[in-house]
Amino acid sequence: MNSVILSTRRIYALIYRYFTLLLHSMPRLIETLYWPIINTMLLGFMNYYLLKQRGLSEMSFHTILGATLMLEFFIRCQFSFMLVFMEELYSRNLGQLYTSPLRGWEQLCAYVIAALLRTCAVIPAIILCNYLFGYNLLSLNEWLLPFVFNMLLAGITFGILIVCLLIRFGQSAEWFGWMFSWAFIPFMGVYYPISVLPEPLQILGHALPISVIFENLRTFASGGMVDVTAITQATIVNLIYLVAACAVFFWTLKGARVRGNLLNLNE
């Protein structure tokens, strides 16, 4: 029981440190809210123009808005996970962090909780989308939770892999971290079905479980039935990817400790 209490305190300390930085820094706070809102407004107004002037159907309009908001859950979660670790690099705090009793799994738990809380910045974008364009994400009804859950799982998985890159290659890998998820987004079928991709790229698209979520989002918007089996399988694959990413994290962290690289990640 004492071990559990100490672990909880260490996890809380990391979360408290990060949110103290976030809430007491206006630029950080504005940046957190800015991107989900601006991306939703940009795609929303562009497609609203197509709806009014170019004959875009209302079903397609709502599908695009839903896909945009779902994508924000994935992107914000992944970037939030990365930024929590980047704060340690920016402040040159890794030496103190890794000489403390903090364990790897406690670090991961703290980062996951912090990333999920920071992803709540998507909520103002959801409210604004309802106000400006009349699209309510809650219209997904009982499918909202499994859809968002899979987006968050994928975001955490990508975030862990980016942190692994930062631990292995240091701060020089930061720019790759910003590009990492975007390199896969064209193959996720966010705004179009995977079938439009060339056949070799379709294999990559089908290997990404959240492509199933976007496909069923389009099916739901068109009044069709959501494929429960496909959603379940996508969730299982997402969980497998998450476990694999955690294994890579522990392996990378152990290797960095053996090589003595943890104090040189800022270089």
Side-chain angles (χ1 to χ4, degrees), residues 98-148:
Y98 287 119
T99 54
S100 71
L102 183 71
R103 301 170 184 173
W105 70 267
E106 295 169 348
Q107 184 182 4
L108 275 184
C109 286
Y111 287 4
V112 167
I113 295 171
L116 292 177
L117 290 174
R118 198 174 189 270
T119 306
C120 291
V122 179
I123 294 176
I126 295 174
I127 296 172
L128 190 65
C129 187
N130 186 31
Y131 175 74
L132 291 177
F133 310 114
Y135 176 73
N136 189 349
L137 197 64
L138 296 177
S139 63
L140 292 175
N141 301 324
E142 70 273 12
W143 297 111
L144 177 62
L145 184 59
F147 285 2
V148 172

Side-chain angles (χ1 to χ4, degrees), residues 10 14 81 84-89 92-108 111 160 162-168 249-250 252-258 260-266:
R10 287 191 286 267
L14 275 183
F81 199 101
V84 177
F85 186 79
M86 289 303 303
E87 289 288 357
E88 308 294 349
L89 286 180
R92 298 185 179 273
N93 189 51
L94 281 176
Q96 294 87 328
L97 186 68
Y98 287 119
T99 54
S100 71
L102 183 71
R103 301 170 184 173
W105 70 267
E106 295 169 348
Q107 184 182 4
L108 275 184
Y111 287 4
I160 292 174
I162 291 173
V163 169
C164 291
L165 289 173
L166 292 168
I167 293 175
R168 179 62 182 85
F249 172 80
F250 291 120
T252 305
L253 185 60
K254 181 180 179 180
R257 281 174 169 159
V258 170
N261 291 346
L262 291 174
L263 298 180
N264 302 318
L265 295 182
N266 300 89

Side-chain angles (χ1 to χ4, degrees), residues 4-5 7 16 42 49 80 99 138 174 177 189 200 207 230 237 259:
V4 173
I5 294 174
S7 294
Y16 179 79
L42 178 63
Y49 167 75
S80 296
T99 54
L138 296 177
E174 176 186 355
V237 174
R259 292 188 300 271

